[in-house]
Amino acid sequence: MPQFKEVSTQSGLHPKPAGLVLQYGTAGFRTNAKQLDHIMFRMGLLATLRSKKTKATIGVMVTASHNPEEDNGVKLVDPMGEMVTPTWEGYATQLANAEQEDLLAALQDIIEKEAIHMSQEANVFVGKDTRSSSASLSQAVLDGVSALGGHSKDYGLVTTPQLHYMVCCQNTQCKYGEATVEGYYKKLCQAFIQLTKNASNCTDDQKHLTVDGANGIGALKVREMESQLKKELHISLFNDGSEGKLNHQCGADFVKVQQKPPTGIKMNPGERCCSFDGDADRIIYYYTDSEGKFHLLDGDKIATLISTYLKELLTQAGLDLEIAVVQTAYANGSSTNYLENTMKVIVRCTKTGVKHLHHAAQEFDIGVYFEANGHGTVLFSKAAEEKIQQLAENSNINDERKRAALLLQNTVNVINQTVGDAISDMLLIEAILAIKGMTIQQWDAIYSDLPNRQLKVKVSDRRVIDTTDAERRAVSPAGLQEAIDSLVKNYREARSFVRPSGTEDVVRVYAEAETQESADALARDVSLAVYRLAGGVGGEPKPLH
């Protein structure tokens, strides 16, 4: 095949270290940047094949999200801005691990399996984050695309959600929006400004938000967008990348795990603060109270705020649309209880991992999904969007219904439905708080989290643990679930589950109960059961206190 001649020549410039094996996981490929040059070239090849197969534009994002600065990674974006399909994740792994001399055979294998017409035109959008390694690695992707005769558009520095957005815009013939960074700011900011017109007399204090940009791409993009917010939101930006290290003691992951504010940020008691992660696809909120105590509002709290707001608007608009919140087993029991029993919202539980949540959210008219780590968004079905649109344009309805319909319409436009997006989620949360005239303390008080604890148990082989019921029950090894059930009975308002890690030989244990002591004790009891029944290695789990 003549087009392989160029692949052969170019791949010599991006050689694979012999014996190196990497796996395409939920987050694509992610490892030390020095090991990724050949991977990037080959993902350029794969994206070109995927584009020919789908007859659509495909995205390639160079980022390692919340990982340390010396790492990098890459993930592919499918035509509607969603993650690439599992079959193609398999091809990515296969292509990445083919030794230098087997690369052409591996390509040929994918072309034959997928019956790809190589004469079909291919288009690939490429974006990168602010890591020092991203420039040369994204160039390797572009080399891969051109080696197979594909067309590429290099967006340069963008957040991961922005690239997902561009791909979706391009493949909907710009019905979703304009496939430029300016188009993205314009759509989101205009919707935000329309929403905040419904906020009665907001003071400048209430419009103020402190943002931790994780010293990453999100900080740059907030700076670019600021002027378009027309002073409806006053942002104080910290960790903006001018001096600190990416994700080092800052960012959403650090704040969530350490349960404390990031370094390099000035916080006054009661002030709203939020943190993005390194590629701006996660967000979490927090504040300190008058006693200096730190309060975290994670993905569960965000999903609750958004779904409550949407449910109220649907009622006011008189729209009969089914709204659901999709959670994982890690969602705090208090949030599930509040949503089901107080708000009467459907709650669906899925396996851990964004793609499972996204998929489940698509089954409803409106699906709100957030992982506890702050990654999430809202999906509206085509039918739901049409009903909202029709109502907003209907001149024969009363003022209350009209107002609610217009709010819903602008809410749809402020949301990036392709993927979790810190900037879009921030604007949505800020608009909701303004419209409802709510402080962060009032939002936090909607429900109180049950104390919880997460532990890890080292095992010789994590595959001995098999789960069911969205990872909430263990089916093997024998006797483990019975042991967990009887341990849970010893504590009030308690629950616990175990699941194998996706990346290392450890079993993750989650426990929650009425008090922190109980949650800690239950987590340790369950860890001990896992250690004894599932082949624990090293010393027995010790008491936490």
Side-chain angles (χ1 to χ4, degrees):
M1 276 180 145
Q3 68 259 36
F4 278 8
K5 189 167 172 290
E6 190 57 27
V7 174
S8 222
T9 313
Q10 287 274 340
S11 98
L13 303 173
H14 302 282
K16 173 186 181 293
L20 177 69
V21 175
L22 293 169
Q23 184 80 26
Y24 192 101
T26 316
F29 291 108
R30 226 179 254 187
T31 185
N32 187 289
K34 292 188 177 75
Q35 299 186 320
L36 283 167
D37 183 66
H38 69 291
I39 297 267
M40 297 293 173
F41 174 72
R42 294 169 181 206
M43 289 309 100
L45 299 174
L46 189 68
T48 309
L49 293 183
R50 181 75 180 145
S51 176
K52 288 175 187 287
K53 170 73 184 184
T54 56
K55 301 186 174 63
T57 298
I58 296 296
V60 182
M61 184 67 200
V62 177
T63 180
S65 188
H66 54 276
N67 280 36
E69 188 148 25
E70 54 277 12
D71 288 356
N72 218 321
V74 60
K75 46 188 171 189
L76 270 62
V77 180
D78 249 5
M80 293 319 289
E82 74 279 51
M83 294 182 191
V84 76
T85 63
T87 309
W88 282 73
E89 285 183 358
Y91 294 152
T93 301
Q94 180 189 331
L95 204 55
N97 296 323
E99 293 304 337
Q100 205 61 20
E101 61 278 10
D102 305 327
L103 178 61
L104 300 186
L107 268 180
Q108 192 55 44
D109 182 48
I110 297 168
I111 291 165
E112 283 170 12
K113 273 189 184 144
E114 292 290 327
I116 294 167
H117 297 294
M118 291 306 287
S119 56
Q120 174 67 39
E121 196 177 288
N123 290 289
V124 179
F125 284 178
V126 182
K128 61 172 183 267
D129 74 8
T130 54
R131 292 161 200 270
S132 54
S133 59
S134 292
S136 63
L137 291 176
S138 70
Q139 188 52 55
V141 174
L142 296 165
D143 291 350
V145 176
S146 71
L148 272 180
H151 303 287
S152 60
K153 178 166 182 180
D154 182 5
Y155 276 90
L157 292 168
V158 285
T159 68
T160 297
Q162 284 176 334
L163 189 79
H164 283 256
Y165 178 90
M166 304 306 162
V167 170
C168 181
C169 289
Q170 186 66 20
N171 290 317
T172 54
Q173 286 71 51
C174 296
K175 282 194 190 70
Y176 192 64
E178 190 191 310
T180 63
V181 175
E182 293 70 39
Y184 167 92
Y185 295 141
K186 204 167 131 188
K187 179 180 173 183
L188 268 60
C189 292
Q190 282 180 350
F192 175 75
I193 289 163
Q194 289 302 317
L195 285 171
T196 52
K197 282 183 179 162
N198 287 272
S200 45
N201 47 32
C202 255
T203 65
D204 280 357
D205 272 0
Q206 287 165 320
K207 290 181 183 177
H208 182 258
L209 175 67
T210 298
V211 176
D212 156 31
N215 289 314
I217 184 71
L220 290 187
K221 297 294 152 185
V222 164
R223 276 269 143 83
E224 278 179 15
M225 177 181 77
E226 249 180 322
S227 63
Q228 304 207 21
L229 290 169
K230 307 268 193 286
K231 306 239 177 356
E232 286 305 314
L233 184 58
H234 303 269
I235 293 172
S236 296
L237 185 61
F238 293 92
N239 298 322
D240 64 356
S242 56
E243 43 195 48
K245 241 177 99 172
L246 176 71
N247 295 325
H248 181 63
Q249 298 196 322
C250 61
D253 208 52
F254 172 83
V255 176
K256 170 86 176 132
V257 173
Q258 300 295 327
Q259 301 274 328
K260 65 180 187 190
T263 45
I265 196 168
K266 289 190 193 67
M267 285 176 73
N268 297 319
E271 269 186 2
R272 281 195 314 287
C273 305
C274 69
S275 283
F276 295 0
D277 71 331
D279 64 340
D281 64 359
R282 300 180 183 184
I283 186 170
I284 51 165
Y285 270 72
Y286 46 93
Y287 68 98
T288 52
D289 61 26
S290 49
E291 269 91 66
K293 185 171 181 282
F294 178 80
H295 295 259
L296 179 77
L297 291 86
D298 63 4
D300 298 339
K301 280 261 156 91
I302 294 171
T304 306
L305 178 74
I306 295 171
S307 54
T308 303
Y309 161 79
L310 289 170
K311 176 126 199 214
E312 286 166 357
L313 284 183
L314 290 173
T315 307
Q316 288 162 19
L319 278 171
D320 183 23
L321 294 173
E322 189 171 55
I323 180 169
V325 175
V326 185
Q327 299 183 325
T328 70
Y330 286 106
N332 197 279
S334 288
S335 71
T336 315
N337 184 25
Y338 175 79
L339 288 164
E340 287 184 330
N341 301 328
T342 308
M343 284 312 298
K344 304 283 188 264
V345 169
I346 300 162
V347 177
R348 168 75 56 87
C349 188
T350 73
K351 282 165 71 170
T352 308
V354 178
K355 57 185 173 191
H356 301 299
L357 290 148
H358 192 91
H359 193 72
Q362 288 172 319
E363 294 170 26
F364 300 92
D365 293 323
I366 302 175
V368 180
Y369 74 84
F370 273 84
E371 290 188 297
N373 66 22
H375 186 288
T377 188
V378 185
L379 304 184
F380 294 84
S381 69
K382 273 277 155 289
E385 284 194 16
E386 279 162 15
K387 279 184 180 171
I388 290 167
Q389 180 84 11
Q390 282 162 2
L391 195 64
E393 288 165 6
N394 183 345
S395 50
N396 302 324
I397 54 172
N398 67 35
D399 288 354
E400 188 197 22
R401 288 188 70 194
K402 183 81 168 176
R403 176 181 178 271
L406 288 167
L407 278 171
L408 282 166
Q409 193 178 32
N410 284 306
T411 301
V412 170
N413 286 330
V414 89
I415 292 167
N416 182 353
Q417 295 186 52
T418 62
V419 71
D421 180 341
I423 292 176
S424 156
D425 290 337
M426 170 186 82
L427 294 176
L428 175 60
I429 292 163
E430 289 301 308
I432 294 173
L433 294 175
I435 291 163
K436 291 169 79 77
M438 256 175 128
T439 64
I440 191 163
Q441 292 85 344
Q442 288 168 323
W443 169 22
D444 193 25
I446 293 179
Y447 65 83
S448 299
D449 277 329
L450 280 167
N452 57 84
R453 175 67 65 196
Q454 294 185 43
L455 295 175
K456 291 196 285 200
V457 183
K458 279 199 168 133
V459 291
S460 55
D461 181 3
R462 65 181 186 267
R463 290 168 302 189
V464 302
I465 300 258
D466 195 18
T467 64
T468 184
D469 186 25
E471 302 177 314
R472 290 178 289 191
R473 298 191 68 75
V475 282
S476 72
L480 179 58
Q481 189 56 51
E482 291 74 13
I484 295 171
D485 289 342
S486 70
L487 290 167
V488 165
K489 286 189 184 124
N490 299 334
Y491 303 95
R492 292 171 60 137
E493 289 193 59
R495 87 185 163 98
S496 180
F497 67 90
V498 301
R499 55 181 285 272
S501 159
T503 48
E504 48 184 335
D505 277 320
V506 300
V507 175
R508 301 187 186 280
V509 174
Y510 177 91
E512 63 183 34
E514 190 179 44
T515 65
Q516 191 62 58
E517 283 90 359
S518 297
D520 290 350
L522 176 57
R524 193 244 168 181
D525 294 348
V526 172
S527 298
L528 217 48
V530 169
Y531 182 87
R532 289 171 183 162
L533 295 167
V537 294
E540 279 198 349
K542 302 259 187 301
L544 290 169
H545 302 293

